[in-house]
């Protein structure tokens, strides 16, 4: 087979598999920067880039390689809802400042220096850590800062049926209050809630559709 034709077919197959992954996993998964997404992109890029010009590797072998890798990625994405797997693969938000007090150990853990921390604080229009109610490093590396005057946290209390206990602590409530509040709105289980937001002192819930 002509070398240019072979490279062209492999290239088209690689693009098609990437499109297939986007449709299966969702566009959002490819727009955020997480350790899993970086590994996925590096390996897929290595497979396509390293094999596409190698004429000794047949089209069938190349297709098997990228399909196996796609299957591995999909399985990991399905398992990521398990807390232990999510913590290992995606990571968890890390609190860097709480009620004006800096957690130096957590800052070192995520690799942010004092100068970088203060830069983010100034970008929010604040000038001291004492003005910060909470500063949280998200799993995609973005730093979210909540000032002392904010009555509405920038993180949900409940997401995908799971309680964000750090945010509960930030707003001064506990799990007992949360369970009581959702029961008052006619919801029995946390697992039935897609999104729970705390806005201006009120709990707003978005539940999963009921299967009839």
């Amino acid at each position: 087979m002509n070398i240019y034709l072979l490279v062209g077919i492999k290239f088209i197959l690689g693009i098609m598999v990437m499109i297939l992954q986007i449709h299966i996993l969702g566009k959002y998964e490819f727009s955020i920067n997480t350790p899993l997404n970086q590994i996925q992109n590096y390996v897929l890029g290595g497979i396509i880039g390293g094999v596409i010009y190698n004429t000794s590797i047949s089209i069938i072998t190349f297709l098997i390689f990228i399909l196996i890798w796609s299957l591995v990625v999909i399985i990991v994405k399905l398992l990521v809802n398990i807390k232990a797997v999510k913590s290992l693969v995606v990571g968890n938000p890390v609190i860097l400042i709480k009620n004006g007090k800096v957690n130096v150990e957590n800052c070192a853990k995520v690799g942010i220096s004092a100068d970088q921390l203060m830069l983010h604080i100034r970008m929010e229009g604040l000038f001291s850590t004492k003005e910060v109610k909470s500063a949280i490093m998200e799993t995609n590396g973005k730093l979210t800062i909540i000032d002392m005057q904010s009555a509405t946290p920038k993180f949900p209390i409940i997401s995908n049926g799971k309680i964000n206990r750090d945010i509960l602590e930030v707003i001064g409530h506990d799990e007992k209050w949360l369970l009581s509040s959702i029961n008052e709105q006619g919801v029995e289980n946390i697992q039935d809630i897609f999104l729970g937001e705390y806005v201006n002192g009120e709990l707003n819930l978005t539940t999963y559709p009921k299967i009839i």
Side-chain angles (χ1 to χ4, degrees):
M1 183 181 291
N2 184 285
I3 184 173
Y4 297 107
L5 179 60
L6 182 63
V7 170
I9 292 174
K10 288 180 180 178
F11 178 76
I12 292 171
L13 287 174
I15 296 297
M16 289 177 64
V17 170
M18 291 182 68
I19 294 172
L20 178 64
Q21 285 192 14
I22 291 173
H23 281 292
I24 293 176
L25 301 175
K27 295 179 182 178
Y28 178 72
E29 288 294 336
F30 286 81
S31 67
I32 57 176
N33 184 27
T34 65
L36 179 59
N37 287 349
Q38 288 186 25
I39 294 171
Q40 173 188 339
N41 295 334
Y42 290 154
V43 174
L44 187 59
I47 291 174
I48 296 175
V51 176
I52 194 172
Y53 299 110
N54 192 334
T55 56
S56 64
I57 297 177
S58 67
I59 294 174
I60 297 298
T61 304
F62 171 69
L63 186 59
I64 291 172
F65 282 161
I66 55 179
L67 288 178
I68 289 176
W69 174 243
S70 297
L71 181 61
V72 170
V73 170
I74 291 170
I75 291 173
V76 173
K77 291 288 187 180
L78 292 174
L79 292 175
V80 84
N81 288 325
I82 300 174
K83 187 175 181 180
V85 177
K86 182 178 180 181
S87 178
L88 177 65
V89 176
V90 180
N92 297 307
V94 179
I95 295 179
L96 305 183
I97 302 176
K98 181 178 177 182
N99 295 326
K101 186 176 180 180
V102 180
N103 188 320
V104 179
E105 184 178 346
N106 282 351
C107 288
K109 180 179 177 182
V110 300
I112 188 170
S113 67
D115 289 336
Q116 291 169 330
L117 183 62
M118 289 306 300
L119 173 62
H120 283 284
I121 290 174
R122 289 194 297 272
M123 288 172 63
E124 294 292 325
L126 307 175
F127 299 97
S128 170
T129 57
K130 299 301 180 184
E131 299 177 70
V132 179
K133 186 175 185 179
S134 179
I136 304 174
M137 178 69 75
E138 301 185 42
T139 55
N140 63 355
K142 181 182 178 181
L143 187 61
T144 299
I145 296 174
I146 305 169
D147 65 74
M148 288 290 189
Q149 307 303 319
S150 177
T152 301
K154 298 179 181 180
F155 284 93
I157 298 178
I158 303 170
S159 59
N160 299 317
K162 295 180 177 63
I163 301 173
N164 191 334
R165 290 175 174 79
D166 291 333
I167 297 302
L168 265 180
E169 192 173 342
V170 166
I171 65 174
H173 289 295
D174 56 18
E175 194 169 330
K176 184 178 179 181
W177 168 85
L178 181 60
L179 293 173
S180 175
S181 298
I182 69 169
N183 289 338
E184 288 176 2
Q185 297 190 36
V187 181
E188 295 182 2
N189 300 310
I190 295 291
Q191 291 76 16
D192 297 331
I193 301 171
F194 173 72
L195 179 66
E197 303 171 283
Y198 189 75
V199 182
N200 297 324
E202 295 184 359
L203 183 62
N204 297 329
L205 303 178
T206 303
T207 58
Y208 285 105
K210 293 183 178 180
I211 300 175
I212 300 176

